[in-house]
Amino acid sequence: QVQLVESGGGLVQAGGALRLSCAASGRDFNLYSMAWFRQAPGKEREFVAAITWRESREYYTDSVKGRFTISRDSAKNMVYLQMNSLTLGDTAVYYCAADRWGLGNDRVSEYEYWGQGTQVTVSS
């Protein structure tokens, strides 16, 4: 069992930056691939980024490549999402997710554990 708690969301102007954090509790954090998803009002939850458990390989959706960076600190059981050059299209609730022995998939169904989400709002 893994519990995930996100933090770091807020209101930011377009072009600005935010860093989201995800604190994980439970056993075997090192065996979980971690990901960030987001969901905007009226839209389906979509994949943003993932980092694998074995080699910390990173995967990103095309719209955030070059702007967002996912990282993990296994000693602290933390996952981060550094978001730069934010645009209005990045406004959403951001969710942290965990997939035991995962491959960094981009499908919601692959992830067993989810946080409660943190709101990111980008203003013009």
Side-chain angles (χ1 to χ4, degrees), residues 38-45 88-93 119-121:
R38 65 187 180 187
Q39 188 166 17
K43 295 187 176 181
E44 294 186 353
R45 193 168 297 190
L88 298 181
D90 296 317
T91 294
V93 177
Q119 176 71 47
V120 172
T121 302

Side-chain angles (χ1 to χ4, degrees), residues 38 63-69 82-87 90:
R38 65 187 180 187
S63 64
V64 308
K65 285 180 182 177
R67 300 189 299 122
F68 290 11
T69 303
Q82 178 66 44
M83 306 187 295
N84 298 328
S85 302
L86 285 161
T87 70
D90 296 317

Side-chain angles (χ1 to χ4, degrees), residues 2-74:
V2 174
Q3 292 80 42
L4 304 172
V5 179
E6 303 96 334
S7 61
L11 176 64
V12 62
Q13 285 192 326
L18 281 176
R19 189 176 85 149
L20 304 184
S21 299
C22 174
S25 59
R27 296 181 60 182
D28 301 330
F29 174 75
N30 288 346
L31 300 182
Y32 286 84
S33 289
M34 303 298 295
W36 290 94
F37 287 75
R38 65 187 180 187
Q39 188 166 17
K43 295 187 176 181
E44 294 186 353
R45 193 168 297 190
E46 65 171 358
F47 172 79
V48 176
I51 186 165
T52 61
W53 68 276
R54 177 171 280 181
E55 298 177 341
S56 291
R57 290 186 178 181
E58 300 171 25
Y59 300 91
Y60 299 92
T61 192
D62 286 346
S63 64
V64 308
K65 285 180 182 177
R67 300 189 299 122
F68 290 11
T69 303
I70 189 171
S71 61
R72 67 190 297 162
D73 184 339
S74 294

